[in-house]
Amino acid sequence: MTESGLDQLSDESLMMRVGRGDDAAAFAEIFRRYAKRLNGYFLRSTGDVQASQDLVQQTFLQLHRARKDYNAKLPLRPWLYTIAANMRRMHHRRAHRKPEVAYEEVHEQSVGPQASTVEQRTVRRAILALPENQREVLILHWYEGMSMAEVGRILGASTSAVKVRAHRAYKALQDLLGGDDG
């Protein structure tokens, strides 16, 4: 436990403290909890280590700027990922191109513990080859462990639309990876 006991507070309680004033310790705790996960989200989405780090910083800057807009009755994680998804979209718009594959540098979990490095790279490349709206759903659902309803809230889409995108993404991955056994 940290000296301040902040690690025992819920995300929502921490964000309420951040929103009431400039509670740097509460903000630092939120950063500690989510920076690595957001970096993984951005890495999977962009394939660019530097862009991912920049997007994490931009996301937390935007979180701090919007701290007074946070509704404490709602969970923090979907709100934070909505900000992250918007930062990622703005990044791609500015780049005016699809992300390039530079995934060999990524050192975190991806496919699973039994997958070889070659298999992991193959899956990463296949994910980056998906259309952006399918890739985003797949990353939020599969890698970030969010429900389809949460993904829908983050992306501003209905749960049904998210399920359709997910189905298409998994089917496209199956086709890209040459799998025919589901």
Side-chain angles (χ1 to χ4, degrees), residues 35-45 103 108 139 144:
K36 185 175 179 181
R37 294 204 66 162
L38 286 172
N39 192 54
Y41 165 69
F42 290 129
L43 275 170
R44 287 182 205 85
S45 181
Y103 250 89
E108 65 176 297
I139 291 169
E144 299 303 322

Side-chain angles (χ1 to χ4, degrees), residues 77-79 81-82 85 89 140 146 149-156:
R77 186 172 83 151
W79 191 66
Y81 273 87
T82 299
R89 281 188 209 105
L140 289 170
M146 294 184 186
E150 285 178 307
V151 174
R153 282 192 299 273
I154 289 168
L155 301 180

Side-chain angles (χ1 to χ4, degrees), residues 127-174:
I127 290 170
L128 285 172
L130 294 173
E132 184 175 338
N133 66 347
Q134 293 176 15
R135 180 175 57 245
E136 191 166 40
V137 168
L138 181 126
I139 291 169
L140 289 170
H141 179 250
W142 181 257
Y143 289 101
E144 299 303 322
M146 294 184 186
S147 70
M148 292 294 180
E150 285 178 307
V151 174
R153 282 192 299 273
I154 289 168
L155 301 180
S158 69
T159 302
S160 298
V162 168
K163 287 179 180 180
V164 168
R165 289 182 199 172
H167 175 75
R168 289 178 180 160
Y170 289 120
K171 175 70 173 119
L173 273 182
Q174 183 180 1

Side-chain angles (χ1 to χ4, degrees), residues 58-71:
Q58 290 172 23
T59 298
F60 279 100
L61 177 61
Q62 186 61 33
L63 176 80
H64 188 267
R65 287 178 178 158
R67 68 189 178 278
K68 293 183 189 225
D69 296 333
Y70 174 67
N71 179 350

Side-chain angles (χ1 to χ4, degrees), residues 3-4 6 21 43 57 72-73 75 83 86 95 98 104 109 115 124 140 157 167 177:
E3 291 179 28
S4 63
L6 293 175
L43 275 170
Q57 294 300 318
K73 294 178 183 168
I83 293 170
N86 288 334
K98 291 194 174 200
E104 286 71 29
Q109 96 271 359
R124 287 180 190 128
L140 289 170
H167 175 75
L177 297 172

